[in-house]
Amino acid sequence: MIETTGNRIDWQQFLRRWQEEWVPGEDDVEDLSEGGVTLADLALAAAPATEAQVAAAEERLGVRLPPSYRRFLAASNGWRLDEGSVHRLGAAHEIDWFGDPFDMTPLYEQGLTGRSTEEEVLLAGMWRRALRLETDSDMSYALLDPGDTDEDGEWALYVYKGWSGELPDRYPSFRAYMQRMYEHFHAGRASVPGFVNDTTRALDADVERARDEALSGRWETARELLTEAERYGRPRARGMLHQLAALSHSGGGHGFGALVADPLYTDELVPVMAARHLRDNCRRPGPHRFLLGAGTTDDITAVADVILTRIRDRSYRYAPGGAFGRAVAEAWESARRGDTDTAWRTIRAALPSWSPPGPDLLAPLGLLGDPVLGPVVTRERGLELLATPRAGRSGPAPDPVPDLDPPGLCWLAEPARWDTPYDSYRCLWVEGAEPEALPGLIGEDGTTGLTAPPVLPDGWFPYDYRQRDDLAPWEDRAVVAVGRTASGWAFGVDAVPRASAPGGFFVSPAAAASRDGRAVVLWARRGRDGGLALFHLSVAERGEELYAYTLRDSDVERSGPVPAALDPDRVLHGIGEADRHRLLLTAVAREFGLSLPRHALVEGILPQLTTHSWNRAPREGEPYAYARITFGTDEQR
């Protein structure tokens, strides 16, 4: 770690520490064993440059060198780097202008447009301005750019790896570059036995402090400490840092470093990695190896394969022990019926009782790997979890994040989003029933129970538009997501009906579903302009349809005595087109106390059921026509 005063660095102290901490790397050990090379030959530092030597270089170059590089030369006239593709920085008399010998400038300039950023413009002109510092490298160049400066007079430093085909790495100053090289030096030796010094001891103390900060709810402070320690390759830092990234939904592959190889953390970390693996690869053909990382034993790999299979078939459940485990089990029951808000409140209340199975686990990360509970922990809730003191720590609890599910049904009338394409939807509710009863009421022949929803990639709408090949053309079997409302109605929702509207062969499933009580069926479709094009409601009780109506634009077809509170003529009297959908849904929700869980439906965490056909077969003499349009191959659809 570079110790600074203001914007200045004590180069003598910093470079002396670096030299004292240096131990031979693998290549150095081989060179020493072959003879002809001594430890003195492998020294990183060189004798300081005199002021006269620096001044002579500046006169030769015709420019004053940037402050941090000038002070560096006064502490060590050159430097050997044994990490990275630049191996040696030259002395003051060895540096010179780069001169763009490979004619890179036209290549970069031709990519500039009127929308190019300032950084892109600077990079395009850098090649002919740059000062070349390295004298030994792996086809790489360390280039200081006098045209890319900051308020302190520092020049940006670019490292161009000629063999990589990549853009150069940019550092805001020579000082920043050396800081990063020092970190690389440490990271390259972090696993070397006996590599212990004042820097590693200070960083390891920071990691331990970060652990306590994280468990106390001060996760942002922990992240800062761990980020620096991870740059130095400290063994525990990466696993902890990736835990914070996973819960804060801040990206990354959730590798968790060497923690995955520790059986203490298998049940917490492997499910998260398995769930990510399945989401990343489920739309790519062929088998994909589930890689856990180096050092993983055969026993852990075998357990991981079992977990992967169970997450794939949606049978996996996160089941920690103790009071927190009992709360998780209760939350799971709520979430699998669609009540993700109650599930989260249950987990949140139990968080202070959570304790880690080992010292390096910062939070109940296994929640994210559970197919049912994982989607409950949104980014906002993950941040709330991280800000909650746990594992015996005390401190203020964060403000609860708002619930996700709006009450009632009005959200169905909101403009369709990319992940909720409810341009047409149909729903069924059965009063006083459990979701497990629906297969016996409305399931297709041979249905024995509910099935798990498919695993789909992140951002993929969790429902399939395709019609099964084994169905007759007239059949219209809904694949519904099944759950239960807080008011005691089992429900099924088909978010992508094969038919866009009930037609002449439509038979509402309300009567069949109402065998033991009341049932409500609702079917709605928007027009191209977003307005309500169709709205169907049917209500049945004890196997008999009581009433129904179908509203198409302004025409209403009725059967049975529709109650005044639901009559579309009354509900929509004097109402403009924009409010029709919302008011009809409000009337239905108010009359029966109905609701639907938006978050659970959008995330696709509810079990599914294929119903019997919502159409009857055409009778003799009834004309029926259909068309099937197929785009691409089966693999492309």
Side-chain angles (χ1 to χ4, degrees):
M1 294 178 288
I2 294 182
E3 297 179 8
T4 61
T5 302
N7 290 326
R8 299 191 61 170
I9 176 177
D10 187 336
W11 282 100
Q12 285 82 6
Q13 182 186 50
F14 169 59
L15 297 177
R16 183 172 59 251
R17 175 192 296 176
W18 192 343
Q19 179 66 71
E20 289 173 351
E21 292 174 347
W22 180 82
V23 295
E26 291 183 10
D27 293 340
D28 298 324
V29 170
E30 184 177 347
D31 290 341
L32 290 168
S33 66
E34 292 175 353
V37 176
T38 67
L39 284 175
D41 296 326
L42 296 175
L44 306 179
T50 65
E51 180 61 29
Q53 288 174 313
V54 175
E58 291 177 331
E59 182 177 0
R60 174 172 55 86
L61 298 168
V63 67
R64 184 172 176 84
L65 297 173
S68 64
Y69 181 58
R70 210 173 189 279
R71 297 185 189 111
F72 159 77
L73 291 174
S76 178
N77 195 14
W79 192 262
R80 189 175 72 87
L81 296 161
D82 61 354
E83 293 288 338
S85 59
V86 173
H87 305 322
R88 185 176 181 275
L89 299 175
H93 68 278
E94 295 175 305
I95 62 175
D96 205 348
W97 297 112
F98 183 52
D100 195 8
F102 308 114
D103 210 21
M104 303 293 287
T105 302
L107 179 65
Y108 278 76
E109 285 182 340
Q110 71 183 11
L112 297 178
T113 68
R115 295 187 298 273
S116 296
T117 65
E118 181 182 358
E119 290 77 11
E120 290 169 335
V121 173
L122 287 170
L123 176 58
M126 180 271 296
W127 307 97
R128 291 175 181 166
R129 296 189 302 259
L131 183 65
R132 177 177 174 177
L133 305 185
E134 93 294 334
T135 57
D136 183 21
S137 71
D138 178 14
M139 294 180 60
S140 298
Y141 307 91
L143 306 172
L144 274 175
D145 182 9
D148 186 354
T149 63
D150 64 14
E151 62 275 9
D152 297 318
E154 295 290 354
W155 303 1
L157 187 146
Y158 292 84
V159 173
Y160 175 59
K161 305 177 184 71
W163 43 264
S164 71
E166 300 173 350
L167 293 174
D169 297 324
R170 180 187 182 277
Y171 303 86
S173 66
F174 178 79
R175 166 189 161 185
Y177 169 68
M178 290 296 281
Q179 166 72 41
R180 191 70 188 105
M181 294 305 100
Y182 179 58
E183 293 165 356
H184 277 311
F185 157 74
H186 264 267
R189 286 163 170 74
S191 60
V192 174
F195 184 67
V196 179
N197 48 60
D198 288 346
T199 302
T200 62
R201 282 188 284 266
L203 289 166
D204 289 343
D206 283 347
V207 170
E208 190 58 35
R209 178 188 160 205
R211 173 180 178 271
D212 191 67
E213 293 285 331
L215 294 175
S216 300
R218 296 182 290 273
W219 71 276
E220 290 172 303
T221 300
R223 181 176 61 184
E224 292 177 3
L225 293 167
L226 292 170
T227 297
E228 181 172 20
E230 197 266 345
R231 288 200 301 265
Y232 283 82
R234 300 317 302 155
R236 301 171 63 200
R238 183 186 181 198
M240 291 187 184
L241 191 61
H242 280 214
Q243 293 174 52
L244 301 182
L247 282 165
S248 61
H249 291 249
S250 55
H254 309 329
F256 307 116
L259 284 185
V260 181
D262 190 331
L264 282 175
Y265 308 111
T266 300
D267 292 338
E268 295 283 350
L269 303 183
V270 171
V272 183
M273 298 176 68
R276 170 58 67 90
H277 172 82
L278 290 173
R279 288 195 299 269
D280 288 347
N281 294 293
C282 65
R283 287 285 171 178
R284 293 165 53 194
H288 304 280
R289 291 187 62 194
F290 180 30
L291 302 176
L292 296 178
T296 307
T297 65
D298 291 342
D299 288 344
I300 291 179
T301 300
V303 171
D305 288 340
V306 172
I307 291 174
L308 180 69
T309 299
R310 292 178 60 200
I311 291 178
R312 181 185 289 114
D313 63 23
R314 311 280 291 204
S315 65
Y316 176 79
R317 288 185 63 173
Y318 174 55
F324 183 72
R326 291 189 291 273
V328 166
E330 181 182 344
W332 190 90
E333 291 294 335
S334 297
R336 79 180 183 94
R337 285 171 165 75
D339 193 356
T340 56
D341 289 332
T342 294
W344 175 246
R345 289 194 292 269
T346 302
I347 291 170
R348 180 175 62 201
L351 276 174
S353 69
W354 175 81
S355 58
D360 287 352
L361 195 71
L362 304 179
L365 215 72
L367 285 166
L368 300 179
D370 189 297
V372 173
L373 292 177
V376 172
V377 187
T378 62
R379 179 180 183 277
E380 292 74 17
R381 287 170 172 173
L383 295 177
E384 184 181 3
L385 186 158
L386 290 172
T388 302
R390 51 201 180 274
R393 273 44 173 201
S394 60
D399 293 333
V401 300
D403 286 348
L404 293 175
D405 286 334
L409 302 173
C410 282
W411 64 270
L412 289 166
E414 296 174 357
R417 304 181 307 181
W418 68 271
D419 59 349
T420 55
Y422 295 116
D423 286 333
S424 180
Y425 61 87
R426 52 187 172 183
C427 320
L428 175 142
W429 292 265
V430 180
E431 189 175 24
E434 293 295 327
E436 290 76 12
L438 293 187
L441 297 173
I442 59 170
E444 65 178 343
D445 293 343
T447 299
T448 58
L450 305 177
T451 60
V455 176
L456 293 176
D458 285 338
W460 195 277
F461 184 62
Y463 301 96
D464 198 336
Y465 293 79
R466 291 178 293 176
Q467 168 79 339
R468 281 178 10 207
D469 293 334
D470 62 335
L471 301 183
W474 56 266
E475 287 190 276
D476 179 18
R477 303 194 182 205
V479 178
V480 294
V482 174
R484 193 172 193 270
T485 71
S487 57
W489 294 71
F491 65 79
V493 179
D494 180 7
V496 284
R498 184 174 81 94
S500 62
F505 301 135
F506 168 67
V507 177
S508 171
S514 68
R515 184 181 63 196
D516 301 319
R518 288 190 299 175
V520 177
V521 167
L522 186 154
W523 193 335
R525 180 172 62 84
R526 291 187 176 95
R528 291 183 179 275
D529 60 355
L532 185 64
L534 175 138
F535 192 91
H536 168 85
L537 174 70
S538 49
V539 179
E541 186 171 4
R542 300 292 176 182
E544 298 290 336
E545 186 176 284
L546 302 179
Y547 53 87
Y549 73 80
T550 301
L551 172 68
R552 288 184 172 87
D553 296 323
S554 58
D555 297 329
V556 182
E557 301 173 10
R558 305 168 185 266
S559 63
V562 179
L566 297 173
D567 191 316
D569 289 341
R570 296 196 180 193
V571 173
L572 301 180
H573 180 70
I575 298 301
E577 178 65 32
D579 294 324
R580 283 157 47 94
H581 195 180
R582 179 178 57 82
L583 288 176
L584 289 171
L585 290 171
T586 298
V588 173
R590 184 181 296 131
E591 179 74 9
F592 301 105
L594 299 180
S595 61
L596 286 175
R598 180 172 63 185
H599 185 65
L601 290 168
V602 169
E603 293 293 333
I605 65 175
L606 298 176
Q608 294 183 337
L609 166 68
T610 301
T611 72
H612 59 61
S613 177
W614 290 40
N615 281 342
R616 62 172 175 79
R619 300 188 180 110
E620 185 177 353
E622 290 182 326
Y624 184 80
Y626 71 94
R628 167 177 279 182
I629 302 175
T630 301
F631 297 94
T633 64
D634 288 342
E635 289 77 12
Q636 293 171 323
R637 280 183 286 162

